[in-house]
Amino acid sequence: MNLRRSIRSLLVVSLAAVPILPGCGSDNGPPTPPPGLDAGTTSDAGTELDAGSTADAGTEPDAGTTSDAGTEPDAGSTVDAGTEPDAGTTVDAGTEPDAGTTPDAGTTPDAGSEPDAGTTPDAGTTPDAGTEPDAGTTPDAGTTPDAGTQPDAGTDPFATCEGECQETAVTIQMNGEQRSLTNAYFGYEEPSTPGDPWTLWIELNNGTAGECPSQESPVPPQLVNVYNVKVPVDATPQEGSAPGEPRATLVDFEGVLSTAFFDHSTNLIFTPVAASLCPSCIKAGSPPASHFVAFDVDGLYENGALTGHGYATYCPSLNYLQDN
């Protein structure tokens, strides 16, 4: 009997149609910006210069016969006695400046051996002893950041799952009865609104081992669907007790645990343990070689509980994509 597709459809309808009530577990709750120059006549009054007739009375210098008696200046032999200036030997006795040996005694500046004794700056071996900065081997000892192998080793705590991590052992108890669920599979649910997070649809069951659920596969005695779980990127727990939050729904085909067609959890804690997931790879049609999610579950029902560890492998039949 093929009930896989109808189970999922009916489960969604049951969640959308029946409001969640506190303390109720069965069939409950929905998954949602200038003329003045003319007065120059004053200069025209230069007629006063025309009275230069006074200068024409220069006849008085013509009586210069007095100057003709200039024989006294001819007696300039006094001036010729300029031998005093000729006795410039005083100036020629400039041997004093020539005795500039004092400036030439610049040996004092030449005695610049003090600056030349710059061996003090040359003794810059202190800066040259910059081996302290060169001893930057402390920053060079940046091998601590280089020891970033811890982030790189992030594959160790979350993307690696070995040994018991790859086993599924979940117990469902209800109304005094219990069953073990030993198989786990998962698919992706693409959000209807672009940009919203992708979620996982996980099926735990106790049917045939290694058989990926499909429309054609037989139903198991019991199965639990875990959904509204965001694709985990680390081990942060996800908890839900209201519509749209993580939830686990029991379907008991055997009728041993419950006679209700659906029993919804009233509280669920989903804790990722390890995962290798890639929603975008699914859209591209190239899932990763290692494709799984390992987790712990701890859920409560009105009359029961769900607890244990699951290791779910990928089943394309459990995908719900928007273009499908």
Side-chain angles (χ1 to χ4, degrees):
M1 180 172 57
N2 179 13
L3 296 177
R4 295 284 178 180
R5 182 67 67 179
S6 60
I7 287 174
R8 184 165 187 158
S9 301
L10 288 171
L11 191 154
V12 172
V13 170
S14 74
L15 291 172
V18 181
I20 187 167
L21 299 174
C24 267
S26 300
D27 297 328
N28 289 328
T32 30
L37 297 177
D38 201 12
T41 54
T42 307
S43 304
D44 201 10
T47 55
E48 292 179 6
L49 298 178
D50 200 11
S53 55
T54 305
D56 200 9
T59 56
E60 290 179 7
D62 199 11
T65 57
T66 306
S67 304
D68 201 10
T71 56
E72 291 177 5
D74 198 10
S77 55
T78 305
V79 177
D80 198 9
T83 56
E84 291 177 6
D86 198 9
T89 55
T90 305
V91 178
D92 198 7
T95 55
E96 291 178 5
D98 198 7
T101 54
T102 305
D104 199 7
T107 55
T108 305
D110 198 8
S113 52
E114 292 177 6
D116 199 8
T119 54
T120 305
D122 200 8
T125 53
T126 305
D128 199 7
T131 52
E132 293 177 6
D134 199 7
T137 52
T138 305
D140 200 6
T143 52
T144 305
D146 200 7
T149 52
Q150 292 180 358
D152 200 8
T155 54
D156 182 26
F158 195 67
T160 300
C161 183
E162 299 175 349
E164 292 183 357
C165 177
Q166 295 184 351
E167 298 178 2
T168 296
V170 177
T171 299
I172 177 73
Q173 304 174 24
M174 195 165 288
N175 298 315
E177 299 287 342
Q178 72 176 41
R179 289 292 186 270
S180 294
L181 308 174
T182 55
N183 306 314
Y185 308 94
F186 82 93
Y188 294 95
E189 288 203 88
E190 182 181 8
S192 57
T193 303
D196 284 354
W198 284 59
T199 58
L200 298 179
W201 182 282
I202 300 171
E203 180 177 311
L204 296 161
N205 67 47
N206 51 6
T208 304
E211 185 176 293
C212 184
S214 69
Q215 297 183 41
E216 292 76 26
S217 61
V219 295
Q222 287 85 26
L223 69 79
V224 172
N225 285 314
V226 179
Y227 47 95
N228 289 338
V229 173
K230 295 177 183 178
V231 173
V233 294
D234 54 33
T236 303
Q238 300 183 40
E239 184 173 1
S241 58
E245 295 178 345
R247 208 167 194 185
T249 297
L250 166 68
V251 181
D252 185 3
F253 296 102
E254 193 177 42
V256 175
L257 303 177
S258 173
T259 56
F261 199 73
F262 297 122
D263 286 282
H264 305 304
S265 63
T266 56
N267 183 266
L268 176 70
I269 300 175
F270 177 90
T271 306
V273 174
S276 177
L277 302 168
C278 184
S280 60
C281 299
I282 302 308
K283 294 293 286 184
S286 55
S290 177
H291 209 183
F292 70 90
V293 56
F295 55 91
D296 293 334
V297 285
D298 188 3
L300 294 177
Y301 294 84
E302 184 180 358
N303 298 308
L306 177 74
T307 185
H309 174 83
Y311 175 80
T313 54
Y314 176 60
C315 274
S317 60
L318 295 179
N319 286 339
Y320 183 80
L321 307 179
Q322 291 300 319
D323 55 0
N324 285 359

